[in-house]
């Protein structure tokens, strides 16, 4: 057989993993040319660094761990080189210890514990990407021989991307509530691409988008065939790593069917760590949109109370689901058994796939940009915390600059750090009330600008008593050298600068254009990173943790907001509220021009790139309190404003929280609208009266009364009987599978002596306790707002007597 010749080629890098071949590690590159393919690199060795003298090299080269042999391989050092690296800001000669396979790195480090060690807990594939200096989704030009990489010619970032994407969803038979894969079949598999949306099933349904197969086995096989025929590159689901794929896998196993999802005919693999689950498919990219939406909700990018597909679709697209309210999850088995309802069930299934695809089209561009920025695969980005994203970016940049990456802290260090919380931001509490004519100013990226302007970094921090005078001194006395620039402020400054450039570019682009979407996605990814640096410095498990750095950031933050408040008072503005990076001023007899002049004055006094910005002018706002103290001070971030265009801005109210029913959130929202938009306290009171009347007369649907919460522990581990636990335990007795982390919805029904006894999973509730919803949901959600209109708590609560309700409205 003739020897294969070297060939030049180029393709887009999608993912990096590794495998073992003949006892040696081989990097596996998932590439996209005309289609996805795998390329192999057998020329990268795993390694770590030792802080040891050169004379120790012979000893180090003999290091082995025979007790930890794996598949006949004995972990051992392969060779040792001397290399200069930067440690804590100073250049030092270290020993670079190469090992025979990736898992040997931490084992050999253990054998050499007498020496200081670095970078021994870095994943092999990530180490490869860092050393290559590549970005995911870049075009790699290379020389290959067969399937093996021989030489890299160049890496070109920011290339046009286009992937064959298919979104899917499954429906299952569920006579006992939660379906059981060993017994309950998959009854429909729906999928959607840019061209079409179809439903695979095995019952005859008179709909053009339905394809009827002979049985469940052939339906599952046909779905696998669709992936092949469509040459799917991105397979997208919603909670598919936890539910859809595992369920399909168990059904395929029970039926004796091959679930050939991968390009090579393989199924899928699941990797679990902490509370995260990543499902991977060979030769395709599987993306679970659920953790992406959850992440966006947790960081505040989305105002979402429940992470259902329907809610995510509404929040992401601004559109309502076509089948909203028409299908109840626990009624699916009944619809399957009712020939007349099959068409609606098929529409519901197809719609789930369509909505998943639309969500993916909106969030994947940002995820791809984040992947490119921080050097993590798309699957890893989608399940990472904000801190992990920042850490990955810092690791890549450190490697590029020859800086040693700090080690992860051990558990003892983590616990010690957690015992010493850092003082937070300054808050000037508002006096509760309704106010007119105010202006709000924000410090643009307060914490990022403080970090950059004061060169805050663990390795620019000067020791106590150090003689250098050229330093920034924080309000707490910590001193940071003005030069050289630390890795954290340097990388953060680049992130902030690039985002600023992109924001300027967005203003010149048409919002509906493809270029706008691409630039916006990158801008959003940069925004998430920029806003996460302070939290990362204070995070107990951070590689770059520094209490001195973190507390200096918040101390400078308190200093600047307090200084701004003081200056505002000198200029005879009434300061209503101040919190972290924002101040609310009442204009009174002053004009807008006076407020803008004040802003300019403050900006002239600020260091570096710090800047006070106009957030907006607001004709009216209402500030309330969670618990009134003796001085009548209001609550932090609990207000609602209306701007000059009639748009409502709400912070801290129950309508953006998960632990209140929909009717309480809607009532509160409507009351706020009546106050802010209409300026009518009469309408606000009428809204409450009408809602209470609907509750009393039993006219409120149960879905409006459902309270959603997440089980933080396994139900069997709860000691205190709460309403959600009581509802969960009743459901478990009915055969519903509920575990730690499950999201449940429950209703407070009529039957029972206590609230907990009355709690029922929403799907099983037949009625509701009107008094509970009036006294525990509606009135608490509006009491503090209506109190500002002149209604006392006693008036609104009716001295605890619900029978006298009408007397006060």
């Amino acid at each position: 057989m003739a020897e294969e010749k070297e060939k030049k080629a180029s393709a887009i890098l999608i993912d990096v993993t590794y495998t073992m071949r003949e006892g040696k590690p081989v990097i596996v590159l998932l590439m996209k040319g005309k289609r996805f393919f795998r390329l192999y690199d057998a020329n990268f060795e795993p390694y770590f660094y030792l802080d040891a003298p050169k004379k120790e090299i012979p000893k180090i080269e003999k290091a082995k761990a025979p007790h930890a042999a794996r598949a006949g391989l004995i972990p051992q050092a392969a060779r040792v080189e001397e290399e200069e690296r930067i440690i804590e800001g100073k250049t030092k000669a270290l020993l670079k210890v190469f090992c025979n396979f990736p898992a040997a790195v931490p084992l050999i480090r253990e054998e050499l514990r007498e020496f200081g060690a670095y970078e021994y807990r870095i994943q092999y594939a990530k180490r490869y990407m860092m050393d290559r200096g590549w970005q995911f989704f870049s075009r790699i030009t290379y020389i290959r021989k067969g399937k093996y990489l021989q030489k890299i010619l160049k890496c070109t970032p920011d290339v046009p991307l286009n992937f064959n994407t298919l979104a899917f969803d499954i429906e299952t038979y569920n006579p006992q509530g939660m379906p059981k894969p060993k017994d309950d079949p998959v009854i429909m598999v729906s999928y959607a691409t840019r061209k079409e949306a179809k439903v695979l099933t095995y019952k005859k349904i008179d709909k053009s988008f339905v394809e009827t197969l002979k049985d469940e086995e052939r339906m599952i096989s046909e779905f696998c065939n669709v992936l092949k025929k469509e040459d799917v590159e991105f397979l997208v689901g919603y909670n598919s790593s936890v539910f859809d794929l595992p369920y399909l896998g168990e059904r395929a196993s029970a039926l004796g069917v091959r679930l050939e999802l991968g390009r090579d005919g393989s199924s899928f693999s699941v990797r679990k760590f902490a509370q995260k689950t990543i499902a991977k498919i060979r030769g395709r990219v599987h993306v679970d949109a659920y953790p992406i939406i959850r992440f966006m909700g947790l960081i505040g990018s989305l105002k979402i109370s429940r992470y259902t597909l329907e809610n995510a679709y509404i929040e992401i697209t601004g559109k309502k689901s076509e089948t909203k309210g028409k299908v109840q999850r626990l009624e699916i088995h009944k619809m399957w058994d009712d020939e007349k309802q099959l068409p609606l069930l098929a529409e519901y299934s197809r719609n789930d796939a369509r909505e998943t695809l639309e969500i993916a089209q909106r969030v994947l561009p940002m995820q791809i940009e984040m992947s490119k920025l921080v050097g993590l695969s798309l699957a890893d980005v989608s399940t990472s915390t904000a801190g992990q994203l920042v850490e990955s970016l810092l690791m890549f940049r450190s490697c590029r600059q020859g800086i040693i990456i700090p080690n992860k802290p051990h558990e003892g260090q983590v616990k010690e750090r957690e015992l010493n919380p850092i003082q937070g931001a300054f808050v000037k509490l508002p006096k509760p009330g309704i106010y007119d004519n105010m202006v709000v100013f924000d410090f643009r990226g307060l914490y990022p600008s403080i970090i950059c302007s004061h060169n805050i970094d663990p390795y620019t921090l000067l020791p106590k008593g150090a003689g250098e005078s050229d330093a920034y001194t924080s309000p707490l006395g910590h001193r940071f050298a003005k030069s050289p620039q630390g890795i954290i402020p340097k990388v953060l400054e680049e992130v902030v600068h690039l985002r600023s450039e992109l924001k300027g570019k967005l203003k010149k682009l048409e919002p509906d254009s493809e270029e706008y979407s691409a630039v916006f996605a990158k801008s959003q990814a940069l925004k998430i990173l920029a806003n996460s640096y302070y939290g990362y410095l204070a995070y107990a498990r951070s590689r770059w943790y520094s209490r001195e750095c973190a507390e200096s950031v918040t101390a400078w933050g308190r200093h600047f907001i307090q200084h701004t408040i003081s200056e505002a008072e000198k200029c005879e503005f009434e300061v209503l509220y101040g919190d972290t990076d924002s101040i609310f001023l009442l204009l009174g007899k002053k004009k807008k021009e006076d407020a803008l002049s004040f802003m300019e004055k403050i900006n002239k006094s600020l260091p570096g790139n710090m800047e006070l910005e106009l957030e907006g002018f607001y004709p009216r706002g209402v500030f309330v309190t969670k618990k009134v103290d003796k001085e009548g001070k209001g609550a932090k971030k609990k207000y609602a404003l209306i701007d000059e265009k009639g748009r409502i801005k709400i912070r801290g109210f129950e309508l953006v929280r998960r632990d209140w029913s929909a009717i309480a959130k809607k009532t509160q929202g409507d009351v706020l609208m009546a106050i802010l938009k209409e300026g009518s306290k009469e309408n606000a009171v009428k809204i409450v009266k009408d809602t209470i009347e609907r509750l009393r007369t039993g006219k409120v649907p149960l879905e409006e009364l459902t309270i959603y919460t997440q089980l933080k522990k396994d139900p069997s581990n709860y000691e205190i009987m709460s309403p959600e636990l009581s509802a969960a335990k009743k459901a478990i007795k009915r055969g519903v599978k509920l575990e730690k982390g499950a999201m449940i919805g429950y209703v407070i029904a009529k039957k029972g002596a206590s609230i907990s006894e009355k709690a029922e999973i929403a799907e099983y509730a037949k009625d509701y306790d009107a008094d509970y919803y009036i006294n525990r949901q509606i009135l608490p959600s509006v009491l503090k707002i209506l109190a500002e209109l002149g209604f006392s708590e006693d008036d609104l609560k009716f001295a605890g007597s619900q029978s006298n309700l009408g007397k006060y409205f």
Side-chain angles (χ1 to χ4, degrees):
M1 185 175 179
E3 184 180 350
E4 292 193 69
K5 295 181 179 179
E6 290 187 344
K7 293 182 179 179
K8 180 180 177 180
S10 73
I12 294 170
L13 176 64
I14 305 299
D15 199 1
V16 177
T17 55
Y18 84 95
T19 187
M20 295 294 294
R21 290 188 174 180
E22 297 178 0
K24 294 183 178 180
V26 177
I27 291 288
V28 183
L29 307 171
L30 181 62
M31 313 290 289
K32 174 181 166 58
K34 291 182 180 179
R35 58 173 296 173
F36 276 21
F37 65 93
R38 289 193 289 274
L39 186 67
Y40 300 94
D41 188 348
N43 299 310
F44 186 71
E45 299 173 273
Y47 67 88
F48 69 102
Y49 290 100
L50 278 182
D51 187 0
K54 195 173 181 179
K55 65 180 182 180
E56 299 289 350
I57 289 180
K59 175 182 177 180
I60 294 168
E61 287 178 332
K62 295 176 183 178
K64 293 183 180 181
H67 61 281
R70 302 183 180 187
L73 284 176
I74 296 176
Q76 58 186 2
R79 59 193 180 88
V80 181
E81 295 178 356
E82 191 175 35
E83 188 175 285
E84 284 194 345
R85 305 293 282 179
I86 299 171
I87 303 179
E88 298 182 10
K90 297 178 182 178
T91 302
K92 188 173 185 179
L94 299 177
L95 298 183
K96 190 174 185 179
V97 182
F98 295 89
C99 298
N100 57 335
F101 61 95
V105 170
L107 296 169
I108 296 304
R109 185 270 176 279
E110 282 297 313
E111 295 298 312
L112 300 167
R113 285 200 66 83
E114 62 195 278
F115 306 114
Y118 302 96
E119 301 190 4
Y120 52 89
R121 292 176 66 187
I122 296 176
Q123 292 179 346
Y124 181 52
K126 185 168 187 171
R127 175 89 267 176
Y128 178 84
M129 286 290 292
M130 287 165 52
D131 283 27
R132 291 291 192 195
W134 290 348
Q135 285 184 350
F136 285 109
F137 300 100
S138 296
R139 180 169 291 278
I140 310 297
T141 305
Y142 56 89
I143 303 294
R144 68 172 176 85
K145 182 182 283 188
K147 293 183 177 180
Y148 281 84
L149 184 68
Q150 300 298 306
K151 185 180 180 182
I152 303 298
L153 300 178
K154 65 178 178 178
C155 173
T156 308
D158 298 324
V159 294
L161 300 172
N162 185 30
F163 298 101
N164 294 332
T165 302
L166 181 144
F168 81 106
D169 189 71
I170 67 171
E171 308 301 338
T172 58
Y173 196 68
N174 58 341
Q176 295 183 334
M178 185 67 71
K180 299 178 180 179
K182 290 183 180 180
D183 305 314
D184 299 325
V186 176
I187 55 178
M188 291 180 179
V189 179
S190 57
Y191 67 88
T193 66
R194 290 173 182 169
K195 299 182 297 181
E196 63 179 2
K198 297 190 72 173
V199 174
L200 306 177
T201 187
Y202 44 95
K203 276 192 177 181
K204 182 66 177 175
I205 302 174
D206 189 19
K207 288 285 184 179
S208 60
F209 59 82
V210 174
E211 182 177 348
T212 305
L213 287 306
K214 184 179 179 181
D215 50 32
E216 185 186 5
E217 295 97 309
R218 286 168 178 79
M219 178 187 68
I220 292 174
S221 295
E222 180 56 26
F223 176 60
C224 298
N225 289 333
V226 168
L227 300 185
K228 295 174 187 175
K229 287 186 291 185
E230 294 291 329
D231 192 24
V232 173
E233 294 168 333
F234 278 24
L235 180 64
V236 183
Y238 196 84
N239 204 28
S240 47
S241 291
V242 175
F243 180 73
D244 300 75
L245 288 178
Y247 204 99
L248 277 173
E250 289 196 49
R251 288 305 299 161
S253 178
L255 296 166
V257 181
R258 287 177 60 85
L259 186 65
E260 298 181 350
L261 301 176
R263 288 183 182 275
D264 58 357
S266 61
S267 181
F268 68 94
S269 61
V270 173
R271 177 162 59 96
K272 294 185 178 182
F273 56 100
Q275 295 183 3
K276 302 173 185 176
T277 302
I278 296 178
K280 287 203 168 188
I281 298 172
R282 295 188 69 181
R284 309 187 203 281
V285 176
H286 168 248
V287 180
D288 188 343
Y290 173 80
I292 299 174
I293 297 299
R294 185 168 176 77
F295 172 79
M296 293 173 71
L298 290 173
I299 65 171
S301 292
L302 285 180
K303 293 294 184 292
I304 185 167
S305 57
R306 293 175 56 218
Y307 299 102
T308 62
L309 173 60
E310 182 183 292
N311 277 18
Y313 179 74
I314 292 169
E315 289 298 325
I316 288 288
T317 68
K319 298 185 288 186
K320 288 188 177 181
S321 172
E322 292 180 16
T323 49
K324 176 177 170 60
K326 295 179 180 179
V327 175
Q328 299 299 318
R329 182 168 56 87
L330 290 183
E331 299 295 312
I332 287 176
H333 68 286
K334 293 180 182 178
M335 297 179 74
W336 178 250
D337 292 335
D338 185 347
E339 187 176 338
K340 293 180 181 179
Q341 295 198 66
L342 284 174
L344 176 59
L345 184 58
E347 288 177 5
Y348 170 80
S349 181
R350 179 179 66 156
N351 200 52
D352 278 357
R354 278 176 162 176
E355 291 181 1
T356 301
L357 182 64
E358 275 199 69
I359 289 172
Q361 289 169 337
R362 302 291 182 100
V363 302
L364 277 181
M366 185 190 74
Q367 294 297 111
I368 288 172
E369 289 299 330
M370 187 68 81
S371 174
K372 291 159 67 173
L373 286 166
V374 306
L376 292 174
S377 71
L378 196 58
D380 286 331
V381 161
S382 69
T383 56
S384 292
T385 64
Q388 288 166 339
L389 297 174
V390 167
E391 182 165 278
S392 184
L393 176 58
L394 288 173
M395 289 172 72
F396 268 75
R397 292 301 302 274
S398 294
C399 182
R400 186 188 304 177
Q401 295 180 33
I403 299 171
I404 282 290
I405 297 166
N407 292 328
K408 286 185 175 182
H410 56 71
E411 284 304 311
Q413 289 175 302
V414 171
K415 289 178 180 177
E416 184 180 347
R417 292 171 179 179
E418 289 175 340
L419 289 173
N420 293 286
I422 292 165
Q423 184 181 352
F426 170 79
V427 178
K428 173 182 168 56
L429 295 174
K431 184 178 179 181
I434 297 170
Y435 298 89
D436 292 336
N437 199 19
M438 69 188 76
V439 61
V440 180
F441 293 113
D442 284 334
F443 280 98
R444 178 172 57 86
L446 178 62
Y447 286 172
S449 64
I450 286 173
I451 292 170
C452 295
S453 298
H454 299 85
N455 202 26
I456 297 176
D457 187 280
Y459 304 127
T460 62
L461 177 65
L462 298 173
K464 288 184 179 180
E468 292 106 335
S469 59
D470 197 20
Y472 300 105
T473 303
S474 82
L476 298 177
H478 302 309
R479 300 172 67 243
F480 299 89
K482 291 186 176 180
S483 64
Q485 191 175 28
I487 184 71
I488 287 177
K490 184 174 185 178
V491 175
L492 178 54
E493 191 174 81
E494 291 173 6
V495 166
V496 170
H497 179 70
L498 179 55
R499 181 164 186 260
S500 180
E501 286 186 340
L502 294 178
K503 285 172 72 177
K505 189 175 182 180
L506 283 172
K507 293 177 181 178
K508 301 175 183 178
L509 297 173
E510 290 295 327
D512 295 332
S513 66
E514 287 188 14
E515 187 179 3
Y516 183 94
S517 298
V519 174
F520 180 77
K522 190 167 188 175
S523 175
Q524 288 299 100
L526 290 164
K527 178 181 178 181
I528 290 169
L529 288 172
N531 291 337
S532 302
Y533 273 76
Y534 160 70
Y536 180 68
L537 281 170
Y539 177 48
R541 295 185 181 278
S542 164
R543 290 177 183 267
W544 274 269
Y545 171 88
S546 170
R547 180 182 179 82
E548 294 86 351
C549 288
E551 66 183 5
S552 291
V553 173
T554 56
W556 259 307
R558 293 191 298 273
H559 164 76
F560 286 114
I561 195 74
Q562 288 172 314
H563 171 73
T564 305
I565 288 172
S566 175
E567 290 299 309
E569 290 172 341
K570 288 178 184 178
C571 293
E572 298 183 340
F573 285 98
E574 183 179 346
V575 181
L576 171 64
Y577 177 41
D579 183 4
T580 311
D581 60 354
S582 303
I583 60 167
F584 293 59
L585 307 180
L586 296 178
L587 288 176
K589 295 180 180 180
K590 290 183 176 289
K591 298 178 180 179
K592 291 181 180 179
E593 291 77 13
D594 298 321
L596 296 176
S597 295
F598 167 73
M599 181 180 72
E600 289 178 12
K601 176 186 175 183
I602 293 296
N603 282 331
K604 288 178 182 178
S605 69
L606 295 175
N609 60 358
M610 292 190 67
E611 183 181 357
L612 190 67
E613 291 183 315
L614 173 68
E615 199 274 327
F617 290 99
Y618 295 91
R620 184 176 293 120
V622 56
F623 291 76
V624 302
T625 177
K626 293 178 182 176
K627 185 177 181 181
V628 178
D629 59 21
K630 292 180 180 179
E631 298 177 2
K633 290 183 177 179
K636 178 183 178 185
K637 288 188 179 176
K638 195 173 180 70
Y639 59 85
L641 309 172
I642 186 167
D643 69 14
E644 294 176 303
K645 294 182 178 179
R647 296 173 299 195
I648 304 291
K649 178 179 180 179
I650 297 172
R651 293 290 182 271
F653 284 102
E654 283 74 13
L655 69 116
V656 293
R657 283 175 48 189
R658 181 164 61 213
D659 54 351
W660 285 78
S661 61
I663 192 170
K665 296 174 186 177
K666 184 178 186 305
T667 303
Q668 188 188 68
D670 290 347
V671 165
L672 287 170
M673 288 291 283
I675 295 169
L676 295 173
K677 209 162 191 176
E678 303 169 25
S680 173
K681 66 179 182 180
E682 292 80 13
N683 281 352
V685 172
K686 185 177 184 301
I687 287 164
V688 180
K689 176 181 177 180
D690 290 346
T691 301
I692 290 173
E693 184 63 22
R694 285 179 63 220
L695 282 164
R696 281 174 151 185
T697 54
K699 294 179 180 178
V700 179
L702 292 177
E703 64 184 44
E704 291 184 37
L705 304 170
T706 304
I707 301 166
Y708 292 92
T709 190
Q710 186 178 34
L711 296 177
K712 300 293 177 65
K713 301 178 184 177
D714 188 285
S716 61
N717 292 337
Y718 279 88
E719 296 178 3
I720 300 173
M721 185 63 72
S722 61
E724 64 268 25
L725 177 59
S726 175
K729 288 191 171 183
K730 291 175 188 176
I732 291 170
K733 286 182 180 179
R734 291 187 172 102
V736 179
K737 186 180 179 182
L738 291 173
E739 300 173 342
K740 175 184 176 181
M743 185 69 71
I744 66 166
Y746 65 92
V747 171
I748 303 302
K750 291 180 179 179
K751 187 179 179 181
S754 66
I755 299 301
S756 292
E757 288 180 16
K758 293 179 178 183
E760 280 281 5
I761 292 291
E763 288 84 351
Y764 296 110
K766 304 299 181 186
D767 54 33
Y768 64 86
D769 181 345
D771 284 345
Y772 168 82
Y773 285 96
I774 291 168
N775 288 308
R776 302 287 188 92
Q777 292 272 311
I778 300 303
L779 290 177
S781 74
V782 299
L783 271 175
K784 295 179 180 66
I785 304 168
L786 294 179
E788 306 311 327
L789 296 174
F791 289 84
S792 71
E793 286 202 17
D794 286 341
D795 287 341
L796 293 170
K797 288 184 176 180
F798 310 106
S801 175
Q802 196 60 49
S803 62
N804 291 330
L805 189 68
K807 170 182 171 183
Y808 291 90
F809 283 99

